[in-house]
Amino acid sequence: MNPLLSIKQFPDYEKIKPEHAVAAIKTLCADSKQAIEHLLDNEPANWTTYERLQAIDDTLSKAWSPVSHLHAVMNTDAWRQAYQACQPIISQYAAEMSQHTGLHRFYCALRDSDAFDQYDEARKKLVNDAIRDFRLSGVNLDDDKKAKYQQLMQKAAELSTTFSNNVLDATQAFHWHSSDATELAGIPDSAKALFKQLAEQNGVKGYWITLDFPSYYPVLTYADNRQLRETLYYAYNTRASDQGPNAGEFDNTAVIEAIMAVRVELSALLGFDHYAALSLANKMADSSDEVIHFLTDLVNKSKPQAQKEYAELQAYAEKHLDLPDLQAWDIAYASEKLKQAEYAISQEQLRDYFPVPKVLDGLFDIVGRLFGVQFEANDNLTKWHKSVSSYTVKNSDGEDIAYFYTDLYARQGKNGGAWMNGAIDKISHAGHQQLPVAYLTCNFIPPVGDEVAYLSHDEVVTLFHEFGHGLHHMLTRVPYSAISGINGVEWDAVELPSQFMENFCFERQVLRSMSAHRHSGEQLPDELFDKLTAAKNYHSALQMLRQLEFSLFDMKVHAEYDTDHPCDVMAVLDEVRQQIAVIPSPDYVRFPMSFSHIFAGGYAAGYFSYKWAEVLSADAFSRFEEEGVYNKAVGRAFKREILERGASRTAMENFVAFRGREPDIAALLRHNGIVTESSV
Ligand code: ZN
């Protein structure tokens, strides 16, 4: 029996093998299509039929979810092949469904039915969103154009996979190896232990450094060896391009051109001026001009302070580090040294205070208090790797409401970064409640030997961030998968709960409760906490500009190119950097070639969402600052108006219901310590 065919609440990861994937996906897509046609032909357009259609989709999505998840976290050749074989089948199915005239007619009939007026706001919004999405998927196109649309969507999916595989291959193609420990002067012991472990895994003695973030980051931040920093910087920033140690081998230049050509064609087909307009059609922001204006406003408010921060860094590096010609590969290093000099605090010093089990307990405690839920380890679920854990979420009556898996540590064959994915959606069908299940994936430095793993404060923030996404998915009360949890939420609002959760990592009581020093067991002392909060906004304007550079680059690439203007992404990047950048970067940098968010993920003409959502999250948290960070009533209101609602209302309606007014940019600038003329 193929274990992917009938997943109820939990996939059985011990039984799922790559060879099951293709057969299951093929069968389920074919069965789903048949079942949908049968319902549309024989059943009335009412909510009961809707729920039956939803159940058909859900069976397929529960099979696809572990396939794409295992491909991302256990990326063996076999999983890669299986995934690549499934992907065209899934994309074609999704494209056909999104253009299905029968389904479109079904939703229009629901909207026009007498019962519609009696629907609650969630059902109404679901139906209207569906009709909008059909329009965006070209349901009104004639048959030739529809076929063209499907071709383009499939090509886009294939190109995305090629793009990320190139990035992964380019990342894995590089390593640096040495037996000479003196070359690693300055690098923290935790990272050196990892390099040693990597060397052992590769059958050699000494230290093995890769371009994975847990290797790259400590070298750039701490290595006294300037040559080593430069070597890593050069390799990292030229990945998958025509430059660098593997120049031309995994080059994404032509892949990006092809991706942009497909996007331009797609948007023209649907009657949009450019891809940015298509991307914004279902976002909170209304137009590319509005977004560019929003970002430029933040650039103007942040740049003077960023220039000051950089000038200070240059002066410090010249005087104290003997680096009169500060280079791109010196920035993180010099920045960390200056930070230590000013605040005598380092992420590595903080790492000794945050053992993973204690951090998780602290996280569960604060979330429990604010939102009235409890977390329990659940050892009954099967896992895909020995370092994975699983949990049950219970409400205040002790009833199960959700489940999640944590997969926290970096390892070979696991995609980098941190993310939350829904494994199972909340739905109700024929009186049966299916509870949501989430994957929380990070790439922290794994435990070494018998010791538990310790997190830097930055990593604690990452964990809270992803947990915020997880809460959005798991605490939803909306029983329709299209709009429950994160599903259907505008992209530019989706980071609200995650960025909101980060704020608690800068609260004294929260940090104390989840810290215990590696040797003394002592909680984070007040003195370190004070330095941590003082250091929080260190170089915040420089960091703000970096994010704004990515966001503007993304928006301009997608807004300025149309069928008459072929895409030259490096030229767009240069133009944006001329407007924004305070820190010079070498000519060989090809950062767009590994910018997976916009070329392989869902952030195309949407990277600005991070900043947009930061405005929302900062402003939402400011209500907690006003009324008390542990204020239960405010916590319950946040849960009720935002976390539980999913996309059953617009993000603006959710926000206004919680905050009592529309969002304001002031809290974000204040939280970042950015002083503007108007706030002086
Ligand atoms: Zn996020």
Side-chain angles (χ1 to χ4, degrees), residues 465-466 469 495 498 603 610:
H465 176 103
E466 297 310 332
H469 286 308
E495 296 294 328
S498 53
Y603 279 87
Y610 284 106

Side-chain angles (χ1 to χ4, degrees), residues 49 178 236 298 574 588 655:
T49 309
S178 170
Y236 190 84
L298 284 172
D574 284 347
Y588 60 68
F655 185 89

Side-chain angles (χ1 to χ4, degrees), residues 550-564:
F550 295 162
S551 307
L552 266 175
F553 164 74
D554 165 49
M555 188 47 67
K556 290 195 168 199
V557 158
H558 290 101
E560 287 178 2
Y561 285 91
D562 53 39
T563 34
D564 300 328

Side-chain angles (χ1 to χ4, degrees), residues 7 25 27 30 45 67 78 115 243 306-308 310 348 351 412 426 449 488 616 657:
I7 296 171
I25 296 304
T27 306
V67 173
Q243 301 284 319
Q307 280 162 331
K308 225 173 92 197
Y310 186 57
E348 282 316 305
R351 184 185 296 281
Q412 190 90 26
K426 181 178 175 81
L616 303 179

